[in-house]
Amino acid sequence: MIPKRDPGYWDRYAKDYSSFQQGNMPERIVETLFQIGYLDSDFSVLEVGSGPGTYSLALSPRVRILTCMDSSDSMLDILFSRAREKGYGNIERFHQDWGAYTPKKGYAACIATLCPGTETPESLQRMEDAARESCAIVHWVRNGGDDLRTEIWKGLGYEGWADRSRFDSAVEWLERNGRDPEIRIFKERVAAEIPVDEVIEKECSALRASGIEGGEDIVRRIVLAHSVDGVYAYDSENSLRLICWRPVSE
């Protein structure tokens, strides 16, 4: 199995994190949440695992208050730098580990966007404890970048990268407990030509953030095997799944 990420992982990896593999799906997901009635302009929203603001910057202009929770100060620094550039003033900074948070129903909606660990029964219940009107989770179904990273991890002797099946158990839990989740799939072809050295550095950065040193030779060998003339061609039809539901009233 791959090493478990410690609390400092995202601080170490923040500068190399990129959302380009999502294309314009975040904006489409936010728009859909408004269209189907899970978000409203008068809502206060808690975003769990906001990261550098991929979804936050699409949400902020459309809601009353957006509270961005993340365990990484570095990710939040990036988010708030971007928010200041856009002049968004309705975002609250919340440096907190979601797993250690004891929520109260202080928000209209709670959204978790590509946040590890939010698919567990405990986390689903915690989301409901935080939100009065609606909850939503966004997770990967297909990310072409996982193919390369899986090969690298296997080359290093690790298994278990990018297991998506656990989110099926989240849907099962919701249905088993009387919720009626609505599910939407978003797809987009994402293509980019990336210099080999940039890809190698990003993959090595992910290893270092996980506490693994000395894997650069393996990373370089694998990346070069998938590159031509110093360029790595990323080309994939990626997909995200949106799971949204109404909390059960007490």
Side-chain angles (χ1 to χ4, degrees):
M1 296 292 291
I2 64 172
K4 187 176 181 179
R5 289 171 176 167
D6 65 74
Y9 174 87
W10 292 108
D11 275 327
R12 296 190 293 270
Y13 190 55
K15 68 179 179 62
D16 291 307
Y17 179 85
S18 172
S19 61
F20 96 92
Q21 294 163 335
Q22 298 182 65
N24 70 356
M25 288 186 284
E27 290 78 9
R28 290 161 53 198
I29 287 171
V30 169
E31 176 63 30
T32 297
L33 285 167
F34 279 92
Q35 288 181 349
I36 62 180
Y38 284 86
L39 288 180
D40 184 88
S41 60
D42 193 45
F43 275 13
S44 59
V45 178
L46 173 64
E47 183 187 2
V48 178
S50 58
T54 305
Y55 291 79
S56 315
L57 299 181
L59 283 164
S60 174
R62 304 190 61 171
V63 299
R64 182 169 58 85
I65 297 174
L66 176 64
T67 300
C68 293
M69 175 190 289
D70 204 286
S71 61
S72 167
D73 262 333
S74 297
M75 286 288 195
L76 290 170
D77 286 345
I78 295 171
L79 188 165
F80 276 82
S81 175
R82 293 172 175 174
R84 284 193 296 272
E85 289 176 359
K86 291 182 175 292
Y88 296 164
N90 66 332
I91 305 178
E92 297 180 341
R93 180 178 182 131
F94 194 2
H95 181 219
Q96 171 75 52
D97 181 351
W98 172 241
Y101 175 57
T102 302
K104 298 179 181 179
K105 285 190 181 292
Y107 302 92
C110 182
I111 298 175
T113 54
L114 304 187
C115 182
T118 51
E119 78 287 352
T120 66
E122 296 78 13
S123 180
L124 297 171
Q125 184 61 64
R126 196 180 300 120
M127 291 181 71
E128 291 198 359
D129 290 342
R132 300 183 303 273
E133 303 291 338
S134 62
C135 299
I137 291 176
V138 178
H139 73 94
W140 282 111
V141 176
R142 162 71 180 161
N143 178 355
D146 288 341
D147 297 339
L148 177 65
R149 189 157 291 181
T150 296
E151 189 174 346
I152 290 171
W153 282 101
K154 285 184 176 179
L156 292 164
Y158 297 100
E159 301 285 345
W161 177 261
D163 177 18
R164 312 296 188 201
S165 61
R166 61 190 185 275
F167 285 95
D168 294 329
S169 65
V171 174
E172 292 170 2
W173 184 89
L174 290 168
E175 293 175 340
R176 187 168 61 249
N177 288 278
R179 283 65 162 178
D180 185 21
E182 188 165 351
I183 298 170
R184 301 289 181 97
I185 301 293
F186 298 80
K187 297 182 179 181
E188 183 174 349
R189 182 186 172 194
V190 180
E193 293 188 346
I194 310 169
V196 163
D197 288 343
E198 183 177 324
V199 178
I200 292 171
E201 173 52 33
K202 181 174 181 178
E203 295 302 325
C204 287
S205 174
L207 295 181
R208 291 191 298 270
S210 299
I212 298 173
E213 300 288 347
E216 183 173 345
D217 289 344
I218 292 174
V219 172
R220 180 174 294 276
R221 172 175 58 79
I222 292 172
V223 172
L224 288 175
H226 293 281
S227 305
V228 177
D229 295 331
V231 174
Y232 175 81
Y234 181 100
D235 192 344
S236 175
E237 183 177 65
N238 293 340
S239 54
L240 292 165
R241 180 162 66 162
L242 170 66
I243 306 169
C244 42
W245 72 98
R246 307 287 181 186
V248 171
S249 300
E250 297 181 357

